[in-house]
Amino acid sequence: MSLFAMGFLLVILQPSTGQFPRACANTESLLTKECCPPWDGDGSPCGELSRRGSCQNILLSQAPLGPQFPFSGVDDREDWPSVFYNRTCKCEGNFMGFNCGECKFGFSGLNCTERRLRTRRNIFQLTTSEKDKFLAYLNLAKNTPSQDYVIATGTYTQMNNGSNPMFTNINVYDVFVWMHYYASRDTLLGGSNVWRDIDFAHEAPGFLPWHRVFLLMWEREIQKITGDENFTIPYWDWRDAEDCVVCTDEYMGGRHPTNPNLLSPASFFSSWQVICTRSEEYNSQQALCNATSEGPILRNPGNNDKSRTPRLPSSAEVEFCLSLTQYESGPMDKMANYSFRNTLEG
């Protein structure tokens, strides 16, 4: 698998996961445009001595770009990750990761040959101890610096084409907050100009595979910092729900008694600080979100724009979506009719 665990080709744009291995966030890697870190197991790049992988030129989609993005060579996410690296680890067999040091999702063992089935469960079917453990894991991730990944605080141009690396540390939870922001942020065109009608993770065929990998990677990072290889993300089945039943202090945090936009002080989520929420500020500064804390979590369930989202989907609407047999249809964006992907996005 390639550096960022993405093998999906889009007709419109190549998807961008937007993560940077710490081992490659340096001048040498950026100037040589090579990210083939050694695997600790044998000390060789990509674990080549153990036949885990080898350093290879990246493969890019040759599909033409769609009309939704009338630019070329202005966005670091185009043909990801070629702007930063054009040689990365290509892993063999069931190995994966930026240095081929991990097992593909669904496999485990010394040589990644053991099939491992994990089942995600309804959050309301967890026992009290299981639910408390899940919340504790989230809090741990929010307070544990990522050992493997850093984030970019500048574009490749702002990094002087690699000679001036601009990266910073981030906690494990916020790696994924930043990654989601980075993949869907506006394109900076210079001066005060931005292109807003762009998204490398949504409103295109890559929506489902991108988020599938996103969640699998998020689970993997939680498993690594907790040592709990059986951890899976619980889900909330919101079909036909009339309100946010997970928005209680027992689960994801209830409403503040005097300020409906804040979380209840009884929830430990009330102490969390958010990042990457000020897109217009970043645009005006032609800057990237640098993961600086931007205040407490703001949430007011039920106070959404009813003209856009009047309610949560019903069971019948979910069944209709699942009945659609065509994954995608032209023009492969938010205007696609009877597209399973576009209907699923809402």
Side-chain angles (χ1 to χ4, degrees):
M1 226 175 199
S2 64
L3 170 66
F4 299 125
M6 293 301 291
F8 309 103
L9 303 180
L10 293 185
V11 173
I12 297 175
L13 285 168
Q14 189 108 346
S16 157
T17 52
Q19 45 157 306
F20 294 87
R22 181 182 298 278
C24 299
N26 55 67
T27 303
E28 181 181 0
S29 295
L30 291 172
L31 291 180
T32 61
K33 304 195 76 169
E34 180 174 296
C35 183
C36 296
W39 173 54
D40 291 340
D42 63 15
S44 67
C46 313
E48 186 169 10
L49 291 178
S50 301
R51 298 184 178 179
R52 297 177 76 97
S54 58
C55 193
Q56 300 283 336
N57 294 331
I58 62 173
L59 297 177
L60 296 173
S61 170
Q62 299 303 308
L65 299 181
Q68 293 85 350
F69 191 64
F71 304 100
S72 179
V74 300
D75 195 305
D76 290 345
R77 299 165 296 179
E78 296 175 47
D79 289 329
W80 184 265
S82 63
V83 170
F84 294 95
Y85 313 106
N86 54 32
R87 283 177 61 80
T88 63
C89 288
K90 179 182 179 182
C91 305
E92 303 296 335
N94 293 330
F95 302 115
M96 67 167 280
F98 58 83
N99 64 354
C100 302
E102 299 184 2
C103 298
K104 282 185 179 179
F105 304 119
F107 290 89
S108 62
L110 185 63
N111 294 309
C112 300
T113 55
E114 301 171 20
R115 189 72 175 165
R116 192 178 188 94
L117 179 65
R118 299 181 179 92
T119 303
R120 292 178 181 158
R121 298 167 58 197
N122 189 316
I123 194 168
F124 293 115
Q125 293 177 354
L126 301 182
T127 65
T128 299
S129 62
E130 289 171 334
K131 179 261 301 176
D132 290 344
K133 183 170 67 173
F134 167 58
L135 298 181
Y137 283 1
L138 293 183
N139 213 33
L140 179 65
K142 184 71 171 176
N143 291 282
T144 300
S146 174
Q147 297 299 305
D148 290 332
Y149 300 108
V150 293
I151 62 168
T153 57
T155 65
Y156 190 69
T157 298
Q158 290 167 347
M159 294 186 197
N160 196 22
N161 297 330
S163 63
N164 179 36
M166 298 173 65
F167 298 97
T168 192
N169 295 321
I170 193 169
N171 65 63
V172 171
Y173 186 92
D174 284 345
V175 164
F176 293 89
V177 177
W178 189 90
M179 192 190 310
H180 197 275
Y181 144 80
Y182 187 78
S184 56
R185 68 175 176 84
D186 297 333
T187 291
L188 306 177
L189 297 176
S192 59
N193 299 318
V194 297
W195 181 262
R196 301 176 190 279
D197 193 18
I198 183 65
D199 196 317
F200 285 76
H202 305 82
E203 299 179 0
F207 170 74
L208 274 169
W210 191 94
H211 286 84
R212 175 71 69 184
V213 172
F214 181 85
L215 291 176
L216 287 168
M217 289 184 63
W218 192 85
E219 279 181 335
R220 173 67 56 83
E221 291 302 303
I222 296 290
Q223 291 162 5
K224 285 162 59 176
I225 64 170
T226 62
D228 184 354
E229 293 188 359
N230 295 312
F231 169 76
T232 57
I233 305 169
Y235 64 87
W236 169 35
D237 185 353
W238 37 248
R239 290 173 298 177
D240 304 311
E242 295 183 1
D243 52 33
C244 182
V245 292
V246 295
C247 297
T248 66
D249 289 338
E250 183 182 3
Y251 292 96
M252 308 313 295
R255 184 171 294 189
H256 194 283
T258 59
N259 186 341
N261 293 310
L262 295 177
L263 295 183
S264 163
S267 167
F268 64 66
F269 290 116
S270 64
S271 66
W272 280 29
Q273 292 282 303
V274 300
I275 65 169
C276 302
T277 64
R278 302 172 180 172
S279 58
E280 291 306 315
E281 180 179 315
Y282 314 142
N283 287 346
S284 65
Q285 297 174 356
Q286 292 285 297
L288 301 183
C289 166
N290 62 11
T292 300
S293 297
E294 296 175 350
I297 295 174
L298 301 179
R299 188 177 70 203
N300 193 341
N303 196 37
N304 55 290
D305 183 351
K306 300 298 192 298
S307 65
R308 294 187 60 190
T309 311
R311 53 176 170 73
L312 289 166
S314 67
S315 294
E317 288 166 331
V318 171
E319 290 302 318
F320 169 75
C321 180
L322 293 174
S323 73
L324 297 175
T325 58
Q326 189 169 355
Y327 176 79
E328 190 60 286
S329 63
M332 298 189 183
D333 58 17
K334 59 186 176 182
M335 302 305 294
N337 289 323
Y338 290 97
S339 150
F340 170 75
R341 185 276 312 163
N342 199 34
T343 304
L344 186 68
E345 279 201 74

